[in-house]
Amino acid sequence: MMRRTFLKMCTALGLTVPTGILKAASEREHAPGSVLVIGAGAAGLLSGYVLHQLGIDYQILEASSAHGGRMKRTNAFTDFPISLGAEWLTTSPAIFETIVRDPAVQVDVELVSYDPKASYGLWQDGMLTLGELGAFDYLVFKDSSWFDVFDRYIVPTVAPRIRYDSVVETITYGGDEVVAQVRGGQRYTADRVVVTVPLAVLQARDLTFSPALPRAKQRAIESAKVWGGLKVFIEFTEAFYPTFLEFDIQPTESGQKLYYDAAYGTSTRAHVLGFFAVGAPADPYLARTGDALREYILAELDEVFSGQASRSYVQHVAQNWSREPYIKGAYVHDGEDGRRIRTLSEPVANKIYFAGDAYTSGQDWGAVHTAAQSALTAVDALVDA
């Protein structure tokens, strides 16, 4: 069910995210110079945070007016944080200590496991089959979110070094310095740069490089498949739905579509159903906005639950990630070739480093913890260069 077989295997074996890289980076003599970080999502924020810890001068350039990237959340919809982007913890909670990198700081995050006896529904061939969820290793943030973790433990350190509304259009790296040209004419220079923008931004050529990136890197950028996607949250007067409602998607590699109890494990008494779709199954939803999107979803739920959705609807909020100008999609699809992912992550000319959920070792991708690990890897590499 759902994604990340590799992660489930790691959890089952009791494995955690490797931390040897952190010790190595903290023990070696720091390379002099300055670093530009492009993007203030999970990878960009953590890159800046680690550079700060290592005493390296840095600047974070963020295209939008807010930090967080796809960790976006809202407190305005109901009485608990709604994660409009990254939501579950899909690896060991030890990742928080790996991210914070300070044994004196205790990360205070409450997580909730799913009850194996929680209700699970499968909609297939026009029929709803109900059963139990069974063993499922995703963890729910109780009354918090991935965004809150970064906002509390990482952002206070790097906030003075973030320049918002700075859309980097060109990175020139042929000379002694790296130059980032920002829309409007401003230029920033540094010795190295960490690029953390979503892959779809590079595919759209909203950010270009001079000289051009190596051909193998360009091919990897062009050929990797980024799923479009969205999330919707709907409040109802009653919980007529199971904890998870999965749809039989064929072919399975075309994408994913899932309804789930977004209030599970929280302190709320509200009934909030989350909806998540990526890839081809997301297309009908991505094509609709406002009332049209609401009616389309309610009609689908009414078919499954005999009209109960429309009768108990209260409000909804939607986040279309494909329409975000500096995001342009969800994440690289789960079946991508790991070798291509590794190519995406490789540095260029010891000057340009890549970090983010799409620029990983190729074992796993598309999650906050993979973005964080890639940032640690990128900073370790540039310090070592």
Side-chain angles (χ1 to χ4, degrees):
M1 175 184 163
M2 297 202 298
R3 52 198 303 251
R4 288 190 235 298
T5 301
F6 172 80
L7 276 174
K8 292 184 180 181
M9 184 181 300
C10 286
T11 302
L13 295 175
L15 303 177
T16 59
V17 177
T19 58
I21 170 183
L22 305 180
K23 182 178 180 182
S26 65
E27 288 178 348
R28 66 171 61 98
E29 186 115 2
H30 303 155
S34 58
V35 180
L36 288 174
V37 179
I38 314 302
L45 293 171
L46 188 57
S47 294
Y49 177 81
V50 177
L51 289 167
H52 176 89
Q53 289 182 321
L54 297 176
I56 298 173
D57 183 39
Y58 71 96
Q59 189 86 60
I60 301 175
L61 303 179
E62 166 56 37
S64 74
S65 58
H67 59 264
R70 280 165 289 174
M71 294 189 298
K72 185 176 181 180
R73 68 98 168 91
T74 178
N75 288 321
F77 183 71
T78 187
D79 60 352
F80 66 95
I82 292 289
S83 296
L84 297 171
E87 186 158 0
W88 292 281
L89 177 65
T90 57
T91 189
S92 166
I95 188 63
F96 299 134
E97 284 68 36
T98 299
I99 289 172
V100 173
R101 291 169 38 92
D102 186 347
V105 176
Q106 182 176 356
V107 180
D108 184 18
V109 179
E110 188 172 357
L111 301 165
V112 178
S113 300
Y114 282 100
D115 185 344
K117 294 186 178 299
S119 55
Y120 166 78
L122 175 64
W123 181 255
Q124 185 177 32
D125 298 328
M127 295 183 59
L128 176 63
T129 303
L130 294 173
E132 295 181 350
L133 179 62
F136 187 53
D137 55 15
Y138 281 29
L139 297 174
V140 175
F141 287 85
K142 183 175 182 179
D143 302 329
S144 67
S145 66
W146 264 118
F147 179 90
D148 293 301
V149 170
F150 274 74
D151 212 40
R152 179 174 177 181
Y153 296 101
I154 304 301
V155 172
T157 297
V158 303
R161 306 298 296 168
I162 302 175
R163 296 294 177 264
Y164 294 103
D165 302 310
S166 298
V167 182
V168 178
E169 296 183 320
T170 304
I171 292 175
T172 302
Y173 65 99
D176 293 336
E177 294 182 311
V178 177
V179 180
Q181 181 74 46
V182 175
R183 183 182 301 166
Q186 192 165 1
R187 291 156 55 94
Y188 292 85
T189 61
D191 295 291
R192 299 181 179 93
V193 62
V194 181
V195 175
T196 74
V197 302
L199 179 59
V201 172
L202 298 186
Q203 291 178 333
R205 301 190 179 185
D206 290 350
L207 172 59
T208 58
F209 299 85
S210 178
L213 296 175
R215 187 57 193 151
K217 175 79 77 172
Q218 292 184 54
R219 284 197 299 267
I221 291 171
E222 293 163 0
S223 56
K225 181 178 180 180
V226 177
W227 272 333
L230 83 165
K231 292 181 75 175
V232 183
F233 293 87
I234 315 125
E235 183 179 3
F236 296 101
T237 57
E238 60 179 318
F240 54 83
Y241 41 82
T243 303
F244 284 98
L245 173 64
E246 193 171 14
F247 286 71
D248 181 37
I249 301 298
Q250 298 297 332
T252 56
E253 63 270 17
S254 66
Q256 299 151 2
K257 171 180 169 180
L258 179 77
Y259 287 94
Y260 59 96
D261 181 1
Y264 189 94
T266 69
S267 302
T268 188
R269 299 181 67 179
H271 306 297
V272 181
L273 185 65
F275 174 69
F276 158 85
V278 293
D283 290 344
Y285 308 90
L286 294 172
R288 293 170 168 83
T289 59
D291 292 345
L293 176 61
R294 179 196 64 201
E295 294 305 316
Y296 189 82
I297 289 177
L298 290 178
E300 178 172 70
L301 291 172
D302 282 342
E303 181 183 6
V304 178
F305 299 109
S306 303
Q308 294 181 80
S310 291
R311 289 197 298 269
S312 58
Y313 169 83
V314 177
Q315 62 172 337
H316 77 283
V317 61
Q319 174 63 57
N320 184 330
W321 286 109
S322 295
R323 294 192 179 189
E324 287 291 327
Y326 309 121
I327 304 280
K328 297 185 181 294
Y331 46 79
V332 174
H333 84 103
D334 293 345
E336 187 56 80
D337 188 332
R339 292 169 297 181
R340 184 171 292 148
I341 297 293
R342 288 194 297 274
T343 299
L344 290 172
S345 71
E346 291 171 356
V348 174
N350 288 333
K351 290 183 179 179
I352 304 177
Y353 298 81
F354 294 84
D357 68 295
Y359 315 102
T360 74
S361 66
Q363 291 181 312
D364 188 36
W365 52 88
V368 174
H369 75 273
T370 63
Q373 187 64 51
S374 75
L376 302 176
T377 301
V379 172
D380 190 54
L382 73 84
V383 169
D384 224 9

